[in-house]
Amino acid sequence: MRRGALIFYGSNAPARAMYLGGGLLIEAPPIRSVVKISPVCSSGMTPYAIRLIEY
């Protein structure tokens, strides 16, 4: 992954985050929650990452 890559994970209610680099991501929380920076963790889940590229 590269900085700015979008990460989607979870099954019933997919979570979304943006990769910051250095093994960290910033999470987009549900409404009225606190935005937080966390380490990328893929143990026990299948994360999907996508990077938008403009030409």
Side-chain angles (χ1 to χ4, degrees):
M1 285 185 286
R2 291 182 172 176
R3 288 183 184 192
L6 303 177
I7 303 169
F8 300 92
Y9 57 93
S11 55
N12 294 336
R16 49 220 173 271
M18 182 180 293
Y19 186 66
L20 297 176
L24 298 174
L25 58 81
I26 186 165
E27 298 183 63
I31 296 172
R32 297 187 188 141
S33 293
V34 177
V35 173
K36 59 184 175 178
I37 296 175
S38 307
V40 175
C41 176
S42 59
S43 177
M45 66 177 167
T46 305
Y48 297 92
I50 185 168
R51 180 165 171 80
L52 302 176
I53 300 173
E54 294 184 35
Y55 293 97

